[in-house]
Amino acid sequence: MIITTAQVPGRRPPLLITADAVAAMAPGSVIVDMGSSPLGGNVAGSVPGEAVVTPNGVTVIGAENLAASVPTAASNAFSRNISALLLNLVSASDPDHRELKIDTTDDIQAGVVVAHGGEVVHPAVAKLLAADSANQGS
């Protein structure tokens, strides 16, 4: 598998893989042309938004406007992570009545809980605050 990514805003992307190179590849090879656009692509024969199979069995995927699709996937992944974190921070004994249940011995919570019960419980933050206090006192 080959992935090409070269683009030049407003201009034709550079041709990185020629027709001869594609023709010399083994059947079943896959090329993802992330530089594919109406102006051209990094791969000879690439078509924006389409997967083309060459006569010798090479699949050339023209990933049209891939940059515009990344924010949606990233947002979805981030929201799933936040949801999982929040579910980890609440008790699940009664699904109708969940409450915050902080456990600083839990590896996940130890990494995200900064203060609990009026105390700074995150070791790195506590260390920074101690160093700052020492610098201000001298």
Side-chain angles (χ1 to χ4, degrees):
M1 172 177 254
I2 299 173
I3 300 173
T4 64
T5 61
Q7 287 185 319
V8 181
R11 295 190 7 223
R12 186 185 195 312
L15 183 64
L16 303 176
I17 302 177
T18 65
D20 289 341
V22 173
M25 294 176 75
S29 298
V30 177
I31 306 171
V32 179
D33 184 359
M34 293 174 58
S36 184
S37 76
L39 298 174
N42 298 145
V43 182
S46 138
V47 178
E50 292 185 28
V52 176
V53 180
T54 66
N56 64 320
V58 175
T59 302
V60 179
I61 300 170
E64 182 179 38
N65 202 10
L66 190 64
S69 67
V70 172
T72 301
S75 292
N76 289 339
F78 182 67
S79 66
R80 283 191 303 273
N81 284 344
I82 294 297
S83 179
L85 174 63
L86 292 174
L87 287 172
N88 181 273
L89 292 170
V90 296
S91 72
S93 57
D94 181 3
D96 294 329
H97 187 303
R98 294 179 186 246
E99 57 188 43
L100 193 59
K101 183 179 178 196
I102 302 297
D103 177 5
T104 56
T105 63
D106 176 88
D107 287 339
I108 294 170
Q109 291 189 26
V112 297
V113 175
V114 175
H116 179 62
E119 301 283 328
V120 174
V121 295
H122 192 279
V125 174
K127 184 177 177 181
L128 287 171
L129 291 172
D132 188 50
S133 292
N135 288 337
Q136 288 182 7
S138 51

